Amino acid sequence: MAPPLLVSGGRFLGLKQRHILFMALGGSVGAGLFLGSGGAIQQAGTSVLLAYVLCGIVVFLIGRAAAELALSDPEGRTLNAFVGRYLGARMEFLVGWSYWLIWTLVCISEITAAGIFVRHWIPEVPQWAVAAVLGGVLLAVGSRAVATFGEMEFWLAIIKIWAIVALIGCGLVTILGHVGPAGPRASFGHLWDAGGVLPHGMAGFAAILPMALFAFGGTEIIALTAAETDNAVRVLPRVINGIVGRIIVFYVGSLAVIMAIVPWGEADATHSPFVLAFQHMGLPTAGEAINAVMALAALSSCNAGLYATSRTLASLAESGMASARLRERSAAGVPAMAFAASFATVLAGVVLNYFLPDRLFGYAIQGVAFLLIFVWASIMVAHLAYRRSMDGARGQVAALPGAPVSNWLAIMFLLAIGLDIVWGGHLYVPFLLDAAWLAVLVLLHGRLSARRAGASLV
């Protein structure tokens, strides 16, 4: 494999369009679709399809805003860097460390899930040991050139995509050709003949919106790749234009086929709807293979997450907001110290997840939702500030459609989702934990600023 390309300014390139596309797919299409969508179907019925379409449109706007900001930055840096450029150093500090925490918690949950899936075949091996072995694989790949990382993510993601395509293809044959045990009963009529499109009314639809929105989490990672992508100005707009549409097709297409074969009332949160659908089609072996796909899906999401955490941590270090050692790069251009620190944190989290009560770790994972809303809203506000600046006046690359109206629509939608989670979902503890996290970051940034001011006077 060719080494990454070193261009002027010391930037290492090597990610191709297919790498970026499948990296975003890998971060977004994970165990949440293959396993978690069962609970979504049970809770919302057919309206889950509308929820994914609506949330996909909102995330598309956020992704376009992030891509435009990334391409407007001559340094080609990370999310927190261009948020700080237009909203100030404090916001850069808050967004950077919050984004790092988001992906750290996601990585911990995903590598833990991968360990659970693998123990399906080897139950005698401790879960933490499986997670450590899988983590070792990610460490070996992530510490090499960025193109190696991109190649691994491409193949991990493509396995997931083929699993979805296989389900949709087999499902359509079953439904349209009335083939197999489920053939005589399978029908797209199941989507509306058991309570209509909104079987639980608007309340059920509103309840499922947060889950649908956060299913698309990870698409913004495209903006982080600008500094390591060959011809980013051409590649990033193409990828962001297609990525959300593809994700909507995968989510909506697969779940529509599943509900046409397995009436939505039979779905539940404890079983993968993909496995149920294959079992109804008389393909239990294919259903068993989904367990392997779920393990790879979790590994893929963790792989993308380690990319995000290491680049964000390195960016914070370059801005003087983390230890200077974390900005060091290897000969291949990888922020090696930042990657090692992020990897160590993830493994420590896996161990803590094993020893600590489920409720405490559950609160932390639920708290990701509020932090992601904060980061996404910050991107949209930073984009508004960018458009009002001299940089925005000089012209935009990959301009966000409908701005500034689309900015405000996305921001209001995110705030509504946040309120829905707190009061509708009664997630007061995670909300308070996130508020405390942001308050601590504000205090830490204040101390950092005071220390810098003192040093400059000496």
Side-chain angles (χ1 to χ4, degrees):
M1 183 174 296
L5 176 64
L6 179 62
V7 297
S8 61
R11 296 192 305 164
F12 289 84
L13 302 183
L15 292 175
K16 309 297 183 184
Q17 180 169 325
R18 62 186 178 90
H19 293 149
I20 307 302
L21 173 62
F22 281 88
M23 186 187 304
L25 286 172
S28 303
V29 180
L33 172 62
F34 292 105
L35 182 60
S37 57
I41 294 172
Q42 181 185 37
Q43 188 173 1
T46 306
S47 63
V48 70
L49 304 180
L50 300 177
Y52 281 122
V53 171
L54 175 61
C55 292
I57 294 172
V58 173
V59 173
F60 164 75
L61 296 175
I62 296 169
R64 279 294 294 263
E68 184 179 345
L69 283 171
L71 294 174
S72 73
D73 188 345
E75 299 297 326
R77 296 174 295 171
T78 52
L79 289 171
N80 53 294
F82 56 69
V83 166
R85 186 179 181 188
Y86 298 105
L87 299 184
R90 178 182 295 174
M91 283 300 296
E92 178 177 356
F93 190 80
L94 266 62
V95 169
W97 281 107
S98 295
Y99 195 63
W100 175 85
L101 179 62
I102 288 169
W103 273 109
T104 297
L105 292 173
V106 169
C107 285
I108 293 170
S109 66
E110 292 289 356
I111 202 168
T112 302
I116 293 172
F117 294 138
V118 171
R119 288 187 70 238
H120 175 76
W121 296 292
I122 46 174
E124 65 277 6
V125 178
Q127 180 180 315
W128 64 266
V130 176
V133 171
L134 296 176
V137 173
L138 296 179
L139 176 63
V141 173
S143 58
R144 299 185 65 190
V146 67
T148 304
F149 159 82
E151 201 65 27
M152 177 180 177
E153 189 59 29
F154 172 78
W155 289 107
L156 284 174
I158 208 168
I159 292 172
K160 294 186 290 187
I161 301 309
W162 276 112
I164 297 171
V165 170
L167 174 93
I168 294 175
C170 293
L172 288 175
V173 171
T174 300
I175 298 164
L176 302 178
H178 305 292
V179 176
R185 299 182 304 276
S187 170
F188 284 114
H190 294 324
L191 298 179
W192 54 80
D193 63 6
V197 177
L198 296 169
H200 297 303
M202 288 303 299
F205 177 70
I208 202 62
L209 282 175
M211 188 181 298
L213 180 67
F214 301 126
F216 293 97
T219 53
E220 77 290 329
I221 201 174
I222 293 171
L224 273 71
T225 66
E228 297 178 287
T229 301
D230 298 338
N231 198 358
V233 173
R234 179 183 65 86
V235 170
L236 261 63
R238 289 186 179 183
V239 171
I240 197 63
N241 285 343
I243 184 66
V244 176
R246 288 181 174 90
I247 293 174
I248 290 176
V249 169
F250 292 145
Y251 272 85
V252 174
S254 61
L255 295 185
V257 167
I258 287 170
M259 287 187 284
I261 295 171
V262 184
W264 65 263
E266 298 180 22
D268 65 77
T270 61
H271 295 89
S272 167
F274 281 71
V275 173
L276 289 176
F278 277 122
Q279 288 175 345
H280 277 64
M281 287 186 281
L283 300 169
T285 303
E288 180 70 17
I290 291 296
N291 191 74
V293 173
M294 288 191 289
L296 292 174
L299 197 64
S300 170
S301 295
C302 188
N303 192 40
L306 284 171
Y307 179 92
T309 54
S310 60
R311 271 59 180 180
T312 300
L313 205 54
S315 175
L316 287 167
E318 288 165 0
S319 299
M321 298 178 180
S323 171
R325 292 195 63 191
L326 296 173
R327 66 188 180 192
E328 295 176 8
R329 291 182 178 266
S330 68
V334 176
M337 293 300 295
F339 185 90
S342 297
F343 177 78
T345 305
V346 169
L347 283 190
V350 172
V351 175
L352 288 174
N353 183 30
Y354 178 78
F355 287 106
L356 291 176
D358 291 340
R359 176 168 301 215
L360 179 61
F361 187 73
Y363 283 149
I365 293 301
Q366 290 169 348
V368 168
F370 298 106
L371 289 179
L372 190 56
I373 288 174
F374 168 70
V375 170
W376 279 350
S378 298
I379 290 172
M380 300 309 281
V381 174
H383 183 269
L384 284 171
Y386 156 71
R387 283 294 186 90
R388 297 192 190 103
S389 69
M390 291 299 295
D391 294 332
R394 284 194 291 267
Q396 302 88 35
V397 180
L400 169 65
V405 174
S406 54
N407 292 75
W408 288 112
L409 288 176
I411 291 169
M412 289 188 291
F413 185 82
L414 291 173
L415 293 177
I417 292 294
L419 292 174
D420 183 24
I421 296 173
V422 176
W423 279 276
H426 305 293
L427 297 183
Y428 305 114
V429 174
F431 174 74
L432 292 175
L433 287 174
D434 283 350
W437 164 263
L438 293 174
V440 169
L441 288 181
V442 170
L443 293 175
L444 289 175
H445 182 262
R447 291 189 62 181
L448 179 64
S449 300
R451 187 182 305 169
R452 285 180 173 176
S456 65
L457 295 176
V458 176

